[in-house]
Amino acid sequence: MYWEKELETIDRRALESLQLDRLNSSLRQAVKSPGYCRIPEISKIVKSGMTSIAQLGELPFTTKEDLRQGFPWGFLSMDKKNVVRLHSSSGTTGNPTVVYHNREDLQSWANLMARSLFSAGIRDTDVFQNMSGYGLFTGGLGFQYGVEKLGCLSIPSGAGNSLRQIKLMRDFGTTVAHAIPSYLGRLFEVFKDEGLDPRQDTQLHTLVIGAEPHSEEHRRRIEELFGVKAYNSFGLSEMNGPGVAFECTEQNGLHVWEDAYVVEIIDPLTLQPVAAGEIGELVMTTLDRQAMPLIRYRTRDLTRFIPGPCRCGRTHRRLDRIAGRSDDMFIIKGCNIFPMQIEGVLLKLPEVGDDYRIIIETIADQDEMLIEVEVKKQWFTGDLDFLAKLENHIARLIRDEVLVRPLIKLVEPGSIPKSEGKAVRVFDHRQR
Ligand code: ADP
Ligand code: ZN
């Protein structure tokens, strides 16, 4: 049992007063770092003390660039001898950033993780296989400590080696597994090649998927293939890693743990808060981190608050599925496009297989978007007429969604090269 009822169902007023207390101590801790002690607004507010959360809006943002410039120790707020672990981001968008933890930080992270898993219906009777890379990437140890705290039997299988994953699942009766969504299609193929069906031949009832953007359609496919419920897990190394926001059994948005973070959603251009329920960039401030508190960290992830209370009773607000990172967006023919918009269209179609990639090129002085789409085996026949019609159909559906008509190239299942780790969807080869 890992249900922090009082904290998870706390009323808004009490939550805000708790946040204010924690924010003040977080700021006092933050100014001990070389990076934050140089910022006059922060030193000033530390002297006077904050009297309302709204005052946070007067402080400057912290960006990934700031962290990179401060590399390696610039945002460390305590003596190195008290720090017990460091993690870094996966480096999807450039140089990785590094985050430090002391013992208490690791404890609170494990608590948040255990609470998150519990909210998705996972219990100490489950056998939990973590198919995430262990090491600097936070998906390994981050889940590990949470799963142990909750009391499941954990199988720290690590990433890759699908045959071994399947064997472990079957030998030990895995009931819950965690993986990045782009890996699960591949894992399913290996099940099939082995003459196995995960629905019949495993005891899986839950998958936890996260670490990379994925559409609702993608989730539904995973649920269908594996015969499970799949829950979305969101996190970023700068805010610990997994355990920042998690879907509860209602599967309608991710509760973001507001006793551990102050959450803002801003317009990335004006830097002002968006109107209630509007989509914008997620900005987060840590409330219970000692080794490296971060203030108003611009995550570059785009989402919105889902209005209204959740039926599960938890009062911490829900974030909508991440629409993408601001740096994933590409502009072509004057239209702003996110890969997830395209994924949403593709994965609704039963003929479409597991993978796709978007290639942007300059052809005869024009920017063109070429989308390679894997088609499922049974549809990838020699019937050229059928394939041409399908290409045309997909091109039209995508144009209706993003306002630019792409060139579609249907390809054999398994033919799109896989990236190591998180999926890379967009290849921009434009001459600039
Ligand atoms: P990197 O930024 O190098 O990928 P991290 O491993 O810290 O480093 O990854 C955090 C990022 O991964 C988030 O900022 C977000 O863009 C993405 N991410 C994590 N979980 C999810 C999720 N459930 N849905 C969409 N994107 C996610
Ligand atoms: Zn809920």
Side-chain angles (χ1 to χ4, degrees), residues 16-202:
E16 278 172 17
S17 117
L18 176 97
Q19 282 186 319
L20 188 60
D21 280 353
R22 291 189 174 180
L23 186 55
N24 274 315
S25 39
S26 219
L27 289 169
R28 284 196 295 275
Q29 185 65 15
V31 280
K32 294 181 190 161
S33 77
Y36 282 128
C37 78
R38 278 201 302 264
I39 300 177
E41 293 94 326
I42 297 184
S43 308
K44 194 170 141 226
I45 213 133
V46 164
K47 277 200 198 98
S48 58
M50 255 190 202
T51 50
S52 109
I53 297 285
Q55 280 175 284
L56 191 56
E58 296 163 17
L59 301 184
F61 295 102
T62 307
T63 63
K64 205 163 183 113
E65 205 36 55
D66 295 330
L67 299 189
R68 282 179 183 147
Q69 276 177 11
F71 186 87
W73 308 111
F75 286 85
L76 179 62
S77 285
M78 60 172 48
D79 194 324
K80 239 183 285 175
K81 85 175 200 311
N82 296 319
V83 175
V84 297
R85 199 197 297 165
L86 68 80
H87 274 288
S88 86
S89 67
S90 342
T92 314
T93 60
N95 279 339
T97 49
V98 61
V99 174
Y100 305 96
H101 304 276
N102 72 356
R103 277 202 192 89
E104 285 78 17
D105 293 339
L106 293 177
Q107 275 297 332
S108 358
W109 181 14
N111 270 349
L112 292 176
M113 228 12 258
R115 183 203 278 185
S116 299
L117 296 165
F118 188 89
S119 80
I122 300 163
R123 296 292 178 269
D124 59 2
T125 43
D126 280 307
V127 178
F128 194 109
Q129 187 163 329
N130 188 14
M131 303 189 279
S132 192
Y134 279 69
L136 291 174
F137 177 55
T138 55
L141 292 176
F143 266 86
Q144 184 64 32
Y145 282 80
V147 167
E148 288 177 8
K149 182 128 215 160
L150 182 57
C152 305
L153 167 57
S154 66
I155 309 181
S157 58
N161 199 342
S162 303
L163 281 173
R164 188 159 148 267
Q165 300 285 7
I166 294 173
K167 182 160 171 22
L168 287 168
M169 264 180 204
R170 288 164 45 81
D171 284 348
F172 300 108
T174 300
T175 55
V176 186
H178 165 237
I180 55 174
S182 57
Y183 173 64
L184 289 168
R186 271 181 272 164
L187 181 66
F188 181 78
E189 287 305 314
V190 180
F191 265 103
K192 256 192 359 202
D193 292 347
E194 294 299 293
L196 296 169
D197 175 356
R199 302 178 71 110
Q200 314 292 331
D201 301 311
T202 72

Side-chain angles (χ1 to χ4, degrees), residues 119 246-253 255 309-316 318:
S119 80
F246 219 88
E247 253 179 351
C248 68
T249 46
E250 296 295 321
Q251 286 190 316
N252 183 17
H255 289 284
C310 183
R311 279 199 301 211
C312 76
R314 292 179 180 83
T315 48
H316 299 236
R318 286 166 300 160

